[in-house]
């Protein structure tokens, strides 16, 4: 099969492609949009994030932001994907929807040949197993770790009986995600979408937040304000102690880790 025919056969109702027009570059805002015609043709709702995977097993999580012109990938996340894959002006990308927010991305050069191995200088990921998944129950992606290894995290807790988890601050920090293993371990429950919650900071100050859901998984909006107020940087670690009302998480007490 010719490379051109192979690329065409990748396209279907569950896929879309991206390439550059004159005057564009891969970091142009127009390259970050999820095509409206694709969204109309799928029953999935991509309100918050997508995960892109490539043939050499690397993957990227990209947060989404709607505006009046459509649904866009956040610039920081998209730029990282572009840089990591050394995209050139003649490349064509084919995005194939696989499951919920997951997409396979295939990269084709000008001659139609597909890139099937990591670019020079990029280390491919090993095949993922249950031992290499994050605390959120998703495969850990580059720069998107959601849990941290903290020695004796219990020592930070105000109430040793409270459920908790350790978190590493990520580049996309506008939400605090609660991982499935933590939810199952403690039998946590959460309020309805957009219900009020709060963060309690080390000085006792409260920051208001909201309960959100991403593909059925709970998250808390307001985390970005916490990170900004305390100048938390990517890679910093905190222990999150959950304040409960019955079995429902009403708030998150944030403890800074000094390791």
């Amino acid at each position: 099969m010719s490379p051109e025919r192979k690329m065409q056969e990748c396209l279907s109702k569950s896929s879309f492609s991206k390439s550059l027009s004159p005057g564009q570059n891969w970091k142009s805002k127009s390259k970050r949009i999820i095509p409206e015609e694709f969204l109309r043709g799928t029953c999935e709702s991509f309100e918050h994030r997508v995960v892109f995977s490539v043939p050499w097993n690397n993957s990227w999580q990209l947060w989404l932001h709607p505006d009046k012109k459509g649904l866009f990938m956040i610039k920081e996340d998209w730029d990282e994907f572009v840089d990591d894959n050394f995209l050139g002006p003649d490349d064509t990308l084919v995005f194939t929807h696989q499951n919920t927010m997951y997409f396979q991305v295939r990269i084709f050069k000008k001659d139609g040949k597909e890139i099937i191995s990591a670019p020079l200088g990029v280390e491919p990921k090993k095949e993922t197993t249950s031992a290499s998944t994050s605390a959120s129950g998703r495969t850990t992606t580059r720069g998107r770790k959601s849990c941290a290894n903290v020695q004796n995290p219990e020592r930070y807790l105000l109430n040793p009986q409270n459920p908790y988890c350790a978190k590493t601050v990520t580049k996309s920090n506008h939400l605090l995600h609660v991982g499935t293993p933590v939810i199952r371990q403690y039998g946590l429950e959460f309020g309805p979408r957009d219900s009020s919650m709060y963060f309690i900071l080390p000085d006792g100050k409260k920051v208001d937040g909201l309960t959100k859901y991403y593909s059925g998984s709970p998250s808390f909006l307001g985390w970005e304000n916490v990170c900004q107020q305390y100048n938390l940087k990517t890679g910093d670690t905190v222990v999150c102690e959950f304040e409960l009302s019955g079995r429902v998480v009403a708030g998150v007490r944030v403890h800074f880790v000094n390791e």
Side-chain angles (χ1 to χ4, degrees), residues 41-173:
T42 180
C43 60
E44 299 290 350
S45 176
F46 307 106
E47 295 180 359
H48 307 296
R49 66 187 173 99
V50 291
V51 177
F52 293 160
S53 299
V54 289
W56 49 94
N57 297 321
N58 288 29
S59 59
W60 294 259
Q61 178 174 266
L62 296 86
W63 293 99
L64 303 176
H65 173 70
D67 69 16
K68 60 183 180 181
K69 294 184 178 180
L71 185 62
F72 290 84
M73 293 170 274
I74 288 178
K75 176 175 173 56
E76 180 184 59
D77 295 346
W78 173 252
D79 288 355
E80 181 182 45
F81 174 78
V82 169
D83 291 340
D84 285 354
N85 289 287
F86 299 95
L87 297 183
D90 297 316
D91 292 348
T92 297
L93 276 58
V94 176
F95 301 81
T96 302
H97 179 229
Q98 294 182 308
N99 181 32
T100 57
M101 79 290 290
Y102 296 95
F103 289 78
Q104 179 191 57
V105 183
R106 304 175 73 171
I107 303 172
F108 295 87
K109 308 307 287 185
K110 184 177 182 180
D111 59 5
K113 290 185 179 179
E114 182 182 2
I115 303 300
I116 58 174
S117 59
L120 187 64
V122 176
E123 182 179 353
K125 296 285 185 182
K126 295 180 179 180
E127 291 293 333
T128 56
T129 65
S130 59
S132 62
T133 56
S134 72
S136 63
R138 299 186 300 271
T139 301
T140 300
T141 58
R142 182 185 184 277
R144 297 293 189 275
K145 293 181 181 179
S146 61
C147 189
N149 292 320
V150 178
Q151 297 296 322
N152 301 319
E154 295 87 355
R155 72 181 187 271
Y156 294 98
L157 303 181
L158 182 67
N159 181 353
Q161 303 302 313
N162 279 345
Y164 70 90
C165 68
K167 288 286 185 180
T168 296
V169 177
T170 65
K171 292 168 67 177
S172 297
N173 63 3

Side-chain angles (χ1 to χ4, degrees), residues 233-252:
K233 304 296 185 183
T234 301
D236 289 346
T237 301
V238 299
V239 172
C240 296
E241 179 180 355
F242 298 109
E243 300 280 336
L244 303 181
S245 175
R247 298 172 66 92
V248 176
V249 176
V252 178

Side-chain angles (χ1 to χ4, degrees), residues 2-16:
S2 68
E4 293 80 2
R5 177 74 177 276
K6 182 179 180 182
M7 183 168 60
Q8 287 299 318
E9 289 197 352
C10 289
L11 292 170
S12 66
K13 291 183 179 179
S14 62
S15 67
F16 60 91

